[in-house]
């Protein structure tokens, strides 16, 4: 249960890994169109990571205890899929929303980030869910500063989501990250202010809320990885990797085409 504090040398490597992960999302953006299969997106991202960036796709063969090895290099979670969707021959169609989650290993350190993409034109409801989830992630991030508590992050996210009648997925959370893909602490996306551990400068973790338009309950598919909403409602997720600083935070997973921090309007 010990959260490791990164050294300045490690932080520099995490900045590079974070930027590279975000650049994979920049690279894949123009390919996310009706008719493309998620396998094609996987192959494009894989080749970009391995051949262009010289990074390692962390999901490929990732096998935490109790899991079969993840068979692909990226996660693609469509519509009611919450997270850990496995790329397949299935083609994206107009109106789908898809989360693409990228984790690279660069010089031994991980960068982890995901965005939502609209395939063609989204429905008004789908767009609202994606925008609210983006704002929820940022409201959580905005709580981060040395001395604040983990519960401050989760509380900000939960308040926003539940305030409009959406729900927060409880089974998956943000996580410390560094030499390991997943390490302490667990960053849950719900909770009470001033609870949980206190943040310290040099901690690095992800904030990656999964918000369902319907109820919070999840279903796990027999493929051993994909999780969907139980009520078949739409789900959205965004993810950044964040460094805690004395005065606040530094978002490590930024790049030229990363969406800007939103104006808060929910
Ligand atoms: N990138 C995911 C996260 O944000 C984890 C994916 S694990 C995988 O924590 F094996 F499904 F790739
Ligand atoms: Co993550
Ligand atoms: Co991720």
């Amino acid at each position: 249960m010990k959260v490791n504090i990164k050294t300045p040398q490690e932080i520099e490597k995490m900045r590079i890994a974070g930027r590279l992960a975000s650049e994979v999302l920049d690279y894949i953006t123009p390919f996310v169109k009706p008719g493309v299969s998620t396998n094609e997106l996987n192959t494009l991202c894989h080749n970009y990571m391995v051949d262009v960036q010289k990074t390692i796709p962390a999901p490929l063969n990732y096998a935490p205890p109790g899991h079969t090895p993840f068979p692909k290099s990226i996660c693609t979670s469509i519509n009611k899929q919450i997270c850990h969707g496995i790329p397949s021959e299935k083609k994206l169609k107009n109106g789908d929303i898809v989360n693409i989650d990228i984790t690279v290993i660069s010089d031994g350190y991980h960068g982890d980030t995901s965005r939502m993409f609209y395939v063609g034109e989204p429905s008004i409801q789908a767009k609202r869910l994606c925008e609210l989830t983006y704002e929820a992630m940022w409201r959580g991030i905005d709580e981060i500063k040395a001395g604040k508590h983990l519960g401050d992050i989760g509380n900000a996210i939960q308040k926003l989501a539940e305030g409009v009648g959406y729900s927060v997925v409880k089974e998956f959370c943000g996580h410390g990250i560094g030499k390991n893909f997943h390490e302490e602490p667990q960053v849950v996306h719900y909770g009470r202010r001033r609870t949980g551990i206190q943040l310290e400068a040099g901690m690095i973790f992800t904030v990656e809320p999964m918000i369902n338009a319907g109820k919070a309950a999840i279903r796990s598919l027999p493929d051993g990885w994909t999780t969907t909403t139980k009520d078949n409602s739409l789900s959205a997720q965004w993810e950044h990797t964040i460094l805690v600083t004395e005065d606040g935070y530094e978002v490590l997973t930024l790049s030229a085409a990363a969406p800007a921090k939103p104006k808060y309007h929910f």
Side-chain angles (χ1 to χ4, degrees), residues 4-19 106-107 109-111 177-179 200-205 241-246 249-253:
N4 76 56
I5 302 298
K6 268 69 178 177
T7 65
Q9 292 74 19
E10 288 184 296
I11 289 169
E12 197 42 47
K13 291 181 190 217
M14 289 295 287
R15 284 194 180 103
I16 294 167
R19 176 177 51 78
S106 157
D107 200 10
Y109 288 82
H110 292 71
I177 181 167
K179 279 189 190 153
E200 291 172 45
M203 289 181 178
I204 297 180
F205 53 76
T241 299
I242 312 288
L243 166 70
V244 180
T245 66
E246 291 298 345
Y249 58 84
E250 180 181 329
V251 180
L252 301 181
T253 33

Side-chain angles (χ1 to χ4, degrees), residues 171-186:
E171 288 83 352
F172 300 97
C173 52
H175 49 92
I177 181 167
K179 279 189 190 153
N180 305 300
F181 195 161
H182 295 101
E183 56 187 50
E184 293 294 325
Q186 291 196 32

Side-chain angles (χ1 to χ4, degrees), residues 101-103 112-114 175 181 208 239:
D101 193 338
I102 301 292
T103 311
D112 189 6
T113 185
S114 79
H175 49 92
F181 195 161
E208 50 179 302
E239 176 176 25

